[in-house]
Amino acid sequence: MTTLTEHQIPGTTTPTTRPEPASSGDRTPSDTDRGPAMRVEGRRGDRYGEILTPEALAFLADLHEAFAGRRHDLLVARQRRRADIAGGTDPDFLASTRPVRDDTGWSVAGAGPGLEDRRVEITGPTDPKMAINALNSGAKVWLADAEDASSPTWRNVIEGQLALHDAIRGTLAFTSEAGKDYALRSSTLTDLPTIVFRPRGWHLAEKHLRYVDRAGTTMAASASLVDAGLYLFHNATELIARGRGPYLYLPKLEGHREARLWNDIFCWVQARLGIERGTIRATVLVETLPAAFEMDEILYELREHCAGLNAGRWDYLFSIIKAFRTRGDSYVLPDRDQLTMTVPFMRAYTELLVQTCHKRGAHAIGGMSAFIPDRRRPDITATAMQKVHADKRREAGDGFDGTWVAHPDLIPAAQEEFDAVLGDRPHQVSRQRDDVTVGQHELLDIGSARRQGATVTAGGCARTSPSACGTSSPGCGAWVRRRSTTSWRTPPRPRSRGRRSGSGSLPGPGRSAACGSRATGSSRCSRRSWTTCPGRRGTGWRTPRRCSVRWRSPRSSRPS
């Protein structure tokens, strides 16, 4: 049998040869004089200087110098892969990495202190109020989310880091505008849920920080490197001293080479901060279609630092939509409320995740239930609780070691179902799912949901479209309005410069019912950006492409 270090995924370095950071003594005086540097272009608020210290900015600059180029290359590779799929190439398991998948002799590092029992994890943004609520919730783990749950404004980014800094040291407190005080139930970190921080994905930039390289070229900083870099720089040593560790959730990965980059970053950070190699632990969200075909490889690349994988079900569905949006009717997903985790292609994805994790000694964490209780509506709450119980009962029965909830009121329901299966055990990694056989066909059988009776209806489209635009969904709307999804802050809504069509008015000739803009010689709105197109009114986002709103011809009842 081949040994752990003999596998060579193309381009891989072995653990004994991974790059280490260069010390300041390796630089020539001219190199040191010329950079690199990190320039702050966002406003300086109260206490921002505690996060944006000269040392932290120098750390970020060196982090970008070491890894920003590789990040760029991986993003280019993503675009090529998407073009291949759009051209008709189906994702598949890589032939070049088959030796890694077939070898049963390697495993991952596993759980760090405080991650042994993850049966219920609560997710939420990092603003002070929500951080305190999460840490007081009674969950086993708090996913401190700087990604999907937080609108990436400069204020949210830096004040979220401040809240984490204070929470780890037991000093976090908050007073609302109404005068209500919030405080941690304990200042001892080990008495609270274990903190796992989720930075933003590789594809996002942090425009309020500019990286200046040695040649003087400037570019927007990587949001991933900024979020993870600041968190680890300020808190890694403190977390270890307080009986926990620096733990991260890694979002939106699309393959093992992106996991390899994270592993090299962890090695670099640990050497730079003087902490033991292997101290950082990462849990990877499998929430893109390409990643589903590289679970073993992702675990292998991160084996020194990996704790588990998570089934990010909703982003996984979005990834399927994005990948196959040009493939025709057979790839159209049914109504969202009929797209449950029991449809065959989603069940194949989750069962393969559990089997892969347990084979490698990693935790398998279940996904988020899309059911939220309403304390003012007992009937809605009762229905939501029934669905949550059923969802978590299925996950625990399938072999997952823990699950996510988005609201404290759902913790008892999720814990009850996992307690029934786990009992006093912290997890069920020992349960090997040898009965699972999943291949390319099972993962790509998108039409299986509709063959089982799920349907595409006008009502489903009507319910989905407002949520996608943020006009009726409280979470999406709050995110678009620059708040955390459940934040206490209420900044002003972004203005639109476009003019609005009359409410309920019919479109005139050559106009779109959605945005009222005249289509000049084509079936698409001629407005050049979302902020100037009334059809995208209030989103506050810009795009270099033309508005995607289609118009209805006055001479035909069929959309063009």
Side-chain angles (χ1 to χ4, degrees), residues 194-212:
T194 301
I195 299 173
V196 183
F197 176 65
R198 177 162 68 166
R200 287 169 285 174
W202 281 130
H203 59 294
L204 295 175
E206 178 47 69
K207 67 179 183 179
H208 298 93
L209 288 171
R210 303 286 298 181
Y211 167 59
V212 185

Side-chain angles (χ1 to χ4, degrees), residues 381-451:
T381 298
T383 302
M385 287 299 182
Q386 290 176 0
K387 293 179 178 179
V388 169
H389 273 284
D391 186 53
K392 304 311 175 187
R393 187 181 307 120
R394 175 194 55 77
E395 286 184 334
D398 285 347
F400 281 97
D401 304 289
T403 191
W404 278 11
V405 297
H407 194 284
D409 288 354
L410 300 181
I411 292 174
Q415 183 154 337
E416 179 182 336
E417 299 301 336
F418 274 84
D419 285 349
V421 172
L422 297 179
D424 295 331
R425 297 176 298 159
H427 53 73
Q428 51 182 334
V429 172
S430 60
R431 182 184 172 190
Q432 303 293 299
R433 290 297 308 273
D434 297 330
D435 57 309
V436 172
T437 303
V438 173
Q440 181 197 36
H441 171 74
E442 287 76 18
L443 290 174
L444 297 184
D445 191 12
I446 309 303
S448 60
R450 292 168 69 180
R451 289 198 303 272

Side-chain angles (χ1 to χ4, degrees), residues 253-300:
L253 265 64
E254 294 195 7
H256 69 275
R257 288 180 175 85
E258 297 181 16
R260 181 189 306 162
L261 176 56
W262 273 116
N263 195 77
D264 289 347
I265 288 170
F266 295 157
C267 293
W268 187 96
V269 168
Q270 288 163 150
R272 177 69 173 259
L273 298 181
I275 60 180
E276 184 179 352
R277 183 167 173 149
T279 302
I280 294 173
R281 289 289 191 275
T283 303
V284 177
L285 289 118
V286 180
E287 52 187 348
T288 65
L289 185 61
F293 290 91
E294 299 187 35
M295 292 190 216
D296 269 305
E297 293 88 335
I298 288 170
L299 290 173
Y300 182 79

Side-chain angles (χ1 to χ4, degrees), residues 319-514:
S319 178
I320 290 173
I321 294 170
K322 185 166 65 171
F324 297 132
R325 64 188 184 276
T326 61
R327 294 287 187 98
D329 180 71
S330 62
Y331 286 87
V332 174
L333 295 178
D335 289 2
R336 188 171 53 173
D337 57 1
Q338 300 179 47
L339 202 56
T340 67
M341 298 305 295
T342 60
V343 300
F345 73 93
M346 291 299 287
R347 187 151 183 81
Y349 149 70
T350 56
E351 291 197 324
L352 179 61
L353 187 145
V354 172
Q355 181 194 55
T356 304
C357 284
H358 288 183
K359 181 171 63 175
R360 306 302 182 186
H363 285 191
I365 308 300
M368 181 82 71
S369 291
F371 313 113
I372 300 297
D374 186 340
R375 293 173 180 174
R376 294 168 294 184
R377 295 285 303 276
D379 54 332
I380 293 178
T381 298
T383 302
M385 287 299 182
Q386 290 176 0
K387 293 179 178 179
V388 169
H389 273 284
D391 186 53
K392 304 311 175 187
R393 187 181 307 120
R394 175 194 55 77
E395 286 184 334
D398 285 347
F400 281 97
D401 304 289
T403 191
W404 278 11
V405 297
H407 194 284
D409 288 354
L410 300 181
I411 292 174
Q415 183 154 337
E416 179 182 336
E417 299 301 336
F418 274 84
D419 285 349
V421 172
L422 297 179
D424 295 331
R425 297 176 298 159
H427 53 73
Q428 51 182 334
V429 172
S430 60
R431 182 184 172 190
Q432 303 293 299
R433 290 297 308 273
D434 297 330
D435 57 309
V436 172
T437 303
V438 173
Q440 181 197 36
H441 171 74
E442 287 76 18
L443 290 174
L444 297 184
D445 191 12
I446 309 303
S448 60
R450 292 168 69 180
R451 289 198 303 272
Q452 282 196 343
T455 57
V456 180
T457 68
C461 293
R463 288 189 297 271
T464 299
S465 297
S467 296
C469 296
T471 56
S472 68
S473 168
C476 292
W479 196 94
V480 168
R481 290 192 298 273
R482 305 182 182 184
R483 302 168 57 190
S484 300
T485 55
T486 48
S487 174
W488 52 271
R489 289 188 285 269
T490 312
R493 187 184 183 93
R495 293 183 179 179
S496 169
R497 293 187 301 234
R499 54 190 181 83
R500 183 204 294 245
S501 298
S503 176
S505 62
L506 296 175
R511 292 182 180 272
S512 163

Side-chain angles (χ1 to χ4, degrees), residues 82-298:
R82 289 169 189 168
D84 289 342
I85 294 174
T89 302
D90 284 338
D92 201 354
F93 297 95
L94 301 176
S96 61
T97 59
R98 186 177 186 116
V100 172
R101 295 194 299 275
D102 290 346
D103 184 4
T104 60
W106 63 270
S107 60
V108 301
L115 283 181
E116 299 87 354
D117 189 337
R118 306 178 64 171
R119 67 187 68 198
V120 182
E121 302 187 357
I122 189 168
T123 72
T126 55
D127 63 87
K129 174 185 171 182
M130 300 308 299
I132 293 170
N133 286 343
L135 290 169
N136 291 343
S137 67
K140 294 293 185 180
V141 170
W142 171 41
L143 188 159
D145 195 5
E147 198 218 12
D148 286 350
S150 297
S151 181
T153 64
W154 180 238
R155 179 179 180 179
N156 285 350
V157 168
I158 301 303
E159 294 185 11
Q161 292 281 349
L162 280 167
L164 287 164
H165 175 278
D166 292 350
I168 290 165
R169 291 156 180 80
T171 61
L172 181 62
F174 172 71
T175 301
S176 69
E177 294 179 357
K180 183 177 180 180
D181 293 326
Y182 295 80
L184 298 174
R185 59 182 171 85
S186 174
S187 60
T188 303
L189 191 62
T190 52
D191 292 339
L192 303 173
T194 301
I195 299 173
V196 183
F197 176 65
R198 177 162 68 166
R200 287 169 285 174
W202 281 130
H203 59 294
L204 295 175
E206 178 47 69
K207 67 179 183 179
H208 298 93
L209 288 171
R210 303 286 298 181
Y211 167 59
V212 185
D213 66 14
R214 293 182 184 276
T217 305
T218 67
M219 64 194 74
S222 160
S224 301
L225 295 180
V226 169
D227 291 346
L230 289 175
Y231 180 74
L232 294 171
F233 179 82
H234 288 293
N235 302 306
T237 302
E238 189 71 24
L239 284 161
I240 296 167
R242 292 176 178 267
R244 290 293 189 240
Y247 306 142
L248 300 178
Y249 257 111
L250 304 181
K252 307 297 189 291
L253 265 64
E254 294 195 7
H256 69 275
R257 288 180 175 85
E258 297 181 16
R260 181 189 306 162
L261 176 56
W262 273 116
N263 195 77
D264 289 347
I265 288 170
F266 295 157
C267 293
W268 187 96
V269 168
Q270 288 163 150
R272 177 69 173 259
L273 298 181
I275 60 180
E276 184 179 352
R277 183 167 173 149
T279 302
I280 294 173
R281 289 289 191 275
T283 303
V284 177
L285 289 118
V286 180
E287 52 187 348
T288 65
L289 185 61
F293 290 91
E294 299 187 35
M295 292 190 216
D296 269 305
E297 293 88 335
I298 288 170

